[in-house]
């Protein structure tokens, strides 16, 4: 519905200009169209958030912990840079070999998994923020 409204927006604007005589009527019609579009976007967002919240509130520990566990794995990988910095300071040849191996391992991870991480991270933080605001 939202995509249809977005695609029809230029046509709707031209139609409003042709159908309504006064500027007041045109402004009112545009406001109603904008309101309809915003309500559609809000409903779409609510549908997406409800799925995330349902998973987070699940009694099944595998379902409710899946997203945070994935984030913790990514945090561990990022934080591993700290000891690598110290290793590089004292044994640069060993650190260089570890870095090459790690880069090879990271390059083997498909781009879709990185996209999943980004979507999961944003979805999780959005759902947590929304849940905290509505308590």
């Amino acid at each position: 519905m939202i995509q249809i409204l977005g695609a029809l927006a230029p046509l709707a604007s031209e139609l409003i200009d042709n159908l309504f005589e006064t500027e007041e009527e045109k402004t009112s019609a545009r406001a109603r169209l904008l309101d309809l579009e915003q309500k559609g976007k809000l409903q779409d967002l609510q549908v997406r958030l409800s799925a995330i919240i349902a998973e987070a509130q699940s009694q099944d520990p595998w379902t409710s912990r899946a997203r945070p566990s994935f984030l913790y794995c990514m945090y561990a990988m990022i934080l591993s840079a700290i000891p690598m910095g110290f290793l590089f300071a004292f044994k640069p040849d060993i650190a260089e070999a570890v870095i090459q191996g790690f880069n090879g391992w990271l390059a083997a991870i498909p781009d879709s998994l990185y996209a999943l991480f980004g979507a999961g991270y944003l979805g999780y933080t959005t759902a947590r923020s929304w849940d905290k605001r509505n308590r």
Side-chain angles (χ1 to χ4, degrees):
M1 173 88 176
I2 295 167
Q3 294 168 343
I4 294 170
L5 282 176
L8 294 177
L11 178 63
S13 181
E14 186 178 328
L15 191 62
I16 288 171
D17 287 338
N18 292 328
L19 286 177
F20 297 101
E21 300 283 327
T22 68
E23 200 58 43
E24 184 179 300
E25 290 174 328
K26 290 177 185 180
T27 303
S28 176
R30 284 190 184 103
R32 282 185 270 157
L33 183 64
L34 183 62
D35 186 49
L36 178 64
E37 183 180 4
Q38 287 174 344
K39 285 180 183 175
K41 286 181 181 178
L42 180 61
Q43 288 171 345
D44 183 49
L45 181 61
Q46 286 174 337
V47 168
R48 285 189 267 156
L49 284 177
S50 67
I52 294 169
I53 291 169
E55 287 178 7
Q57 293 176 344
S58 172
Q59 297 300 318
D60 180 14
W62 292 102
T63 302
S64 61
R65 293 184 195 145
R67 196 172 286 112
S69 298
F70 183 69
L71 295 176
Y72 294 143
C73 290
M74 294 301 289
Y75 291 150
M77 289 173 48
I78 293 167
L79 289 174
S80 67
I82 295 170
M84 282 302 298
F86 288 110
L87 180 63
F88 192 81
F90 296 108
K91 301 279 186 175
D93 53 332
I94 294 174
E96 191 64 41
V98 172
I99 290 169
Q100 287 178 357
F102 198 68
N103 281 338
W105 180 71
L106 288 176
I109 297 173
D111 289 340
S112 58
L113 191 58
Y114 285 111
L116 175 66
F117 169 70
Y121 190 85
L122 290 174
Y124 178 72
T125 55
T126 301
R128 294 285 296 162
S129 299
W130 183 81
D131 187 40
K132 287 179 181 180
R133 255 187 262 138
N134 290 325
R135 282 188 181 189

